[in-house]
Amino acid sequence: MIALSLAEIATITGGQPHDIPDTGREVTGSVVIDSRKVEPGGLFAAFAGEHVDGHDYADKAIASGAAAVLATRPLGVPAIVVDDVQTALGRLAREVVRRLGTEVVALTGSAGKTSTKDLIAQVLQHHAPTVWTPGSLNNEIGLPLTALTADAGTRHLVLEMGARGIGHIRYLTDLTPPKVGLVLNVGTAHIGEFGGREQIAQAKGELVEALPADGTAVLNADDPLVRAMSSRTKAKVLFFGEAEDADVRAENVRLTDQGQPAFTLHTPSGCSDVTLRLYGEHHVSNALAAAAVAHDLGMSADEIASALSGAGNLSRWRMEVTERADGVTVVNDAYNANPESMRAALRALVAMGKGRRTWAVLGKMAELGDEALTEHDAVGRLAVRLNVSKLVAVGDREASWLQLGAYNEGSWGEESVHVSDAQAAVDLLRSELRPGDVVLVKASRSVGLEQVALALTEGEVSGR
């Protein structure tokens, strides 16, 4: 973060200094919400959570070198007391971004946000100093924390924006006004909370509505609900996708023997060949989105293609591939799941497993509301249609729907099995895996199915 005095921070956040001997002292370190991550000269934002109250760790934060605590009450240590810590954090981020004049690239979508954000960040790093959202910290707390890591040398600030309802993205764009806004897709993730795809589209489109007239809306030409957002922005529109009128598109798409996509990238500035290090054809769309952003920010087709071909997987448990010594391949995609990402992961599994036995270890997809039974049944059926060798459905009700879909689609009922928990899945796999098998592990984050992948690659399942 840029250096700010405690007096300046109090003014920006609308807070009052308490127990601060010198309000002229500058905050020169990071802003954090975990007292264990405090560094000398930093600022500790004390959030009161459901199970832990950050205010209880104020003494520890100051002892670790924090210049002050952002809090809702005096604590007997240097503190800036505000009405609401989240609001104050947002105000601080907005002012820092304003002072820096950093070019903000914001992106949203129902699926692929984090993978695409990681691609954009790695490509833009070849262009200018870039700061980006770590992992998927894309909400009203994670986004300002990311923005506050930018400094005077930062040229591009790449921010992933998530939404659980109407108005959420509007709030985030108010904190960090974007110059480039990317919408990937409108799917069924969180459909139970939104109520329908049209409502999801309304929420995602808040991003392009926030763009200035001299900004750019980067839209997926292959998604009708995203394409229609072009009428909701005053910014220039740049389309990406397979559509003939897409400004940035891919031709001659193919998969290598390892299941990695290769294609010829077409941009308004030229063409160049790309071979991704990521797995699965669904990453072609993500790469095109990243290429469109990079093109808009001044990179050539050759520069973009080279950067994309060198980009790796920055975030854990997203198509994370481990080759075991015995020839078993484990694909840990267990960070999260929705119907769109499940289908993409299954297709990637099949592409990677040509001529080999394939296992899909799947669990619940959360927040699907009334669509839950239908969507789980459909994923189970798709696993059989794609000729996945064995579906292992892990968990309770939703897992049983996955297995039942596969059972009803299959010929002999041997294409799937339902197990109670992660340990049962591990026990089954350890007894039946053979050298050369490929195992995909995927479910919503709340299921904790990454424990299966970790047990297969690192050791035992930990308790949950």
Side-chain angles (χ1 to χ4, degrees), residues 272-285:
S272 196
D273 291 332
V274 175
T275 301
L276 296 176
R277 292 169 55 196
L278 306 177
Y279 295 86
E281 190 171 339
H282 61 290
H283 280 299
V284 173
S285 181

Side-chain angles (χ1 to χ4, degrees), residues 137 234 265 357 402 459:
L137 297 178
K234 54 184 177 289
L265 171 68
R357 285 203 313 172
L402 283 167

Side-chain angles (χ1 to χ4, degrees), residues 114-393:
T114 300
S115 296
T116 304
K117 174 263 303 176
D118 288 347
L119 285 174
I120 294 171
Q122 291 176 85
V123 172
L124 292 185
Q125 272 193 309
H126 289 266
H127 186 244
T130 302
V131 167
W132 63 93
T133 304
S136 56
L137 297 178
N138 58 22
N139 62 11
E140 59 275 7
I141 298 174
L143 182 137
L145 287 174
T146 300
L148 288 169
T149 64
D151 58 26
T154 303
R155 171 80 177 278
H156 304 304
L157 181 57
V158 182
L159 298 173
E160 180 180 330
M161 293 186 174
R164 301 178 307 282
I166 303 296
H168 289 180
I169 289 178
R170 187 180 302 115
Y171 172 80
L172 297 177
T173 58
D174 183 53
L175 299 185
T176 54
K179 185 69 176 294
V180 179
L182 162 65
V183 184
L184 293 169
N185 44 55
V186 174
T188 53
H190 309 297
I191 197 168
E193 294 183 347
F194 281 96
R197 292 184 74 233
E198 291 73 19
Q199 288 82 0
I200 295 174
Q202 182 62 35
K204 302 298 184 186
E206 292 170 0
L207 175 53
V208 300
E209 291 175 345
L211 295 169
D214 62 345
T216 303
V218 179
L219 302 178
N220 186 347
D222 302 326
D223 187 319
L225 289 175
V226 176
R227 179 185 275 269
M229 292 177 191
S230 61
S231 65
R232 295 171 59 182
T233 184
K234 54 184 177 289
K236 175 183 71 177
V237 175
L238 194 65
F239 286 117
F240 70 92
E242 296 181 7
E244 289 186 4
D245 64 341
D247 303 286
V248 177
R249 64 188 189 279
E251 290 186 357
N252 190 26
V253 177
R254 58 208 181 276
L255 292 176
T256 68
D257 291 342
Q258 291 74 39
Q260 295 164 309
F263 58 93
T264 300
L265 171 68
H266 287 256
T267 77
S269 63
C271 307
S272 196
D273 291 332
V274 175
T275 301
L276 296 176
R277 292 169 55 196
L278 306 177
Y279 295 86
E281 190 171 339
H282 61 290
H283 280 299
V284 173
S285 181
N286 298 340
L288 291 177
V293 170
H295 165 78
D296 185 66
L297 294 176
M299 294 181 68
S300 71
D302 285 343
E303 289 173 324
I304 296 168
S306 176
L308 283 173
S309 296
N313 193 347
L314 299 184
S315 301
R316 294 197 70 191
W317 307 337
R318 293 171 175 86
M319 296 300 288
E320 188 175 273
V321 177
T322 301
E323 300 285 353
R324 296 196 335 189
D326 63 357
V328 171
T329 300
V330 180
V331 184
N332 187 347
D333 196 31
Y335 188 84
N336 217 337
N338 57 57
E340 290 78 23
S341 66
M342 276 285 201
R343 289 191 285 270
L346 285 171
R347 292 189 174 98
L349 169 66
V350 171
M352 294 173 65
K354 288 180 180 176
R356 305 162 68 183
R357 285 203 313 172
T358 51
W359 296 75
V361 184
L362 309 181
K364 177 177 74 173
M365 298 176 287
E367 299 174 352
L368 293 179
D370 294 340
E371 300 297 318
L373 191 156
T374 299
E375 294 291 359
H376 284 87
D377 178 84
V379 167
R381 290 176 182 273
L382 179 63
V384 175
R385 291 172 187 165
L386 292 174
N387 290 319
V388 172
S389 304
K390 192 93 167 188
L391 166 66
V392 181

